[in-house]
Amino acid sequence: MVLAGGYGVVGAEVARMLRARHPSLPLVLAGRTPARGEALASEVGASLQTMDLSGPSPLDFSARAVVTLVNDPTDRLLRACLQAGIPFVDITRWTARVQQALALAAVEPPRAPVVFASGWMGGLVPLVGAALARELGGASVIETAILYDLADRAGEDSIEFMDRLHVGFEVTEEGQRRVVEPLTGARRVELAGRPRRVVRLDTPEQLTLPLVLGARTVSTRIGFTDESATLAFQALQGLGLFHLLRGERFRSLRRALLRGSGKGGRAVVHVEVSSPGGTRAATLVDARGQAHLTATGATLALERALGLDGDAPPRGVAFPEQTPSPERALAALRSLGVELEIHPGADVERRAA
Ligand SMILES: NC(=O)c1ccc[n+]([C@@H]2O[C@H](COP(=O)([O-])OP(=O)(O)OC[C@H]3O[C@@H](n4cnc5c(N)ncnc54)[C@H](OP(=O)(O)O)[C@@H]3O)[C@@H](O)[C@H]2O)c1
């Protein structure tokens, strides 16, 4: 089992989780500087491998499966796995890159399961949406609100999404596709005990949930624990500054914008599904932070790809919300230490900010 980026912030959580759940699974942690992963490798009993996804030549290797925990900007790893028939999981792609991956999978049809789990938190948001829709017998509206703790740990590779904060993206509203600007559409949603300002963010479940569940409106919004950060990000976007801050020259400045204490924080996500049959909501809280919560999504996606979840592995490409057993996935989430509360949803305060 090759974990590309396996000794990064998210990768380390995935390695520990896989070792705890599958003690005899061989693990390989891959990256450009494997010496950085030595302590983790000896902790979880993994081996280390040098791999550079930004290199020029095609990758050539074999593995039981690959989990991509670092951006694969030119699809080198995806292409290698498609060509070699290796089961593949990716949690890193923003929507345009999911679309790029789907185009590649049309050109190189997969011979092994491929799970694109890049929805928020390694695909947990769409997975939970599917579980709520199953309870309700359908989904017409799916709305997600994220509380991002600025004290949380996030690695260098996570800042790539900052390069998207000036780019409009398509969403589905009342069955119609329309383009919205990031960090707009402010609302107040009750999160972690008080109303928080949340604003729109480009995430892949806004592409896949309408397709998989037939939802007519899907939205994802994010707010920061320090509301002044949400407002500051909105102001920067409104002034067009994210556009100016693109590129390598401003990498450290972009990093500084996102950098909190990095000591660790709580991840909180609220998913609400409405259908003609009613409304259900789920609140996920992970006291170990966003990297741990993302790792639970990645772990469940890998178990899905390999059929370790009790269902037959998918044929070709699948998204997490296509699991045949979403309720079992919720039980697995709880067993991985995620607090999950399901409630009627109507009691949630949600109003324009
Ligand atoms: N779907 C979601 O909700 C979600 C949530 C959180 C994070 N993520 C994504 O997960 C990814 C990892 O985030 P993170 O916070 O763990 O980042 P990170 O700590 O920077 O980890 C990246 C890892 O990849 C390796 N790496 C970097 N560049 C590489 C390259 N060109 N080739 C091979 N390996 C390379 C790094 O080691 P070396 O420097 O030694 O190569 C490191 O081990 C990001 O892409 C982030 O956007 C997704």
Side-chain angles (χ1 to χ4, degrees):
M1 186 74 43
V2 172
L3 306 183
Y7 51 87
V9 172
V10 174
E13 298 286 355
V14 175
R16 291 190 181 105
M17 216 173 268
L18 287 177
R19 177 51 70 238
R21 282 170 78 81
H22 306 287
S24 57
L25 197 66
L27 294 179
V28 179
L29 313 180
R32 295 166 303 181
T33 44
R36 290 176 51 203
E38 271 169 12
L40 178 69
S42 60
E43 177 193 329
V44 299
S47 55
L48 290 158
Q49 184 178 319
T50 304
M51 176 191 286
D52 185 355
L53 298 187
S54 58
S57 51
L59 292 170
D60 179 20
F61 65 95
S62 64
R64 179 175 171 197
V66 168
V67 184
T68 307
L69 302 151
V70 57
N71 277 297
D72 181 18
T74 54
D75 303 320
R76 287 179 82 222
L77 193 49
L78 172 60
R79 194 184 296 272
C81 290
L82 289 173
Q83 288 175 346
I86 297 172
F88 182 84
V89 170
D90 192 324
I91 64 142
T92 65
R93 291 171 180 267
W94 54 80
T95 312
R97 288 223 178 128
V98 171
Q99 290 165 326
Q100 168 67 24
L102 292 171
L104 183 56
V107 176
E108 294 272 1
R111 289 178 280 124
V114 171
V115 179
F116 290 126
S118 289
W120 191 257
M121 298 290 95
L124 287 186
V125 161
L127 186 59
V128 168
L132 298 178
R134 174 74 60 93
E135 276 189 41
L136 288 168
S140 46
V141 178
I142 304 177
E143 298 193 306
T144 299
I146 298 153
L147 180 62
Y148 191 94
D149 192 336
L150 285 169
D152 209 346
R153 292 177 305 128
E156 190 68 26
D157 201 58
S158 286
I159 62 161
E160 297 298 326
F161 91 89
M162 290 285 286
D163 287 337
R164 307 288 304 167
L165 288 181
H166 66 288
V167 182
F169 55 97
E170 276 198 350
V171 295
T172 302
E173 280 178 5
E174 297 181 1
Q176 304 293 316
R177 305 284 291 168
R178 84 173 181 95
V179 176
V180 297
E181 294 300 318
L183 305 175
T184 60
R187 280 190 182 167
R188 287 209 170 272
V189 176
E190 181 86 14
L191 288 166
R194 62 184 169 91
R196 313 273 182 167
R197 183 184 184 84
V198 291
V199 289
R200 298 200 80 133
L201 183 73
D202 183 9
T203 54
E205 68 273 6
Q206 292 168 95
L207 167 74
T208 60
L209 281 171
L211 298 172
V212 176
L213 299 180
R216 290 177 55 75
T217 296
V218 177
S219 70
T220 298
R221 288 178 168 80
I222 191 167
F224 298 90
T225 38
D226 178 354
E227 185 159 314
S228 60
T230 313
L231 289 164
F233 273 36
Q234 280 194 277
L236 287 172
Q237 203 270 354
L239 292 168
L241 287 180
F242 282 124
H243 184 73
L244 298 175
L245 293 179
R246 287 172 312 151
E248 275 308 306
R249 267 175 68 202
F250 296 109
R251 192 175 178 83
S252 53
L253 177 57
R254 292 198 307 274
R255 187 82 192 92
L257 280 173
L258 264 195
R259 188 181 297 129
S261 71
K263 287 182 182 155
R266 275 198 324 161
V268 180
V269 182
H270 179 85
V271 184
E272 186 164 313
V273 177
S274 304
S275 80
T279 300
R280 299 288 280 163
T283 304
L284 289 84
V285 178
D286 194 326
R288 284 178 275 185
Q290 65 90 23
H292 184 266
L293 190 56
T294 303
T296 62
T299 297
L300 297 186
L302 178 66
E303 291 178 352
R304 178 86 271 277
L306 295 180
L308 299 172
D309 56 359
D311 288 311
R315 286 163 176 258
V317 172
F319 300 112
E321 59 267 43
Q322 289 176 292
T323 174
S325 311
E327 55 295 320
R328 190 166 55 209
L330 294 193
L333 254 186
R334 288 191 169 109
S335 76
L336 286 164
V338 177
E339 292 168 47
L340 175 65
E341 192 196 333
I342 311 258
H343 38 97
D347 58 335
V348 171
E349 181 184 358
R350 179 181 359 100
R351 60 174 190 263

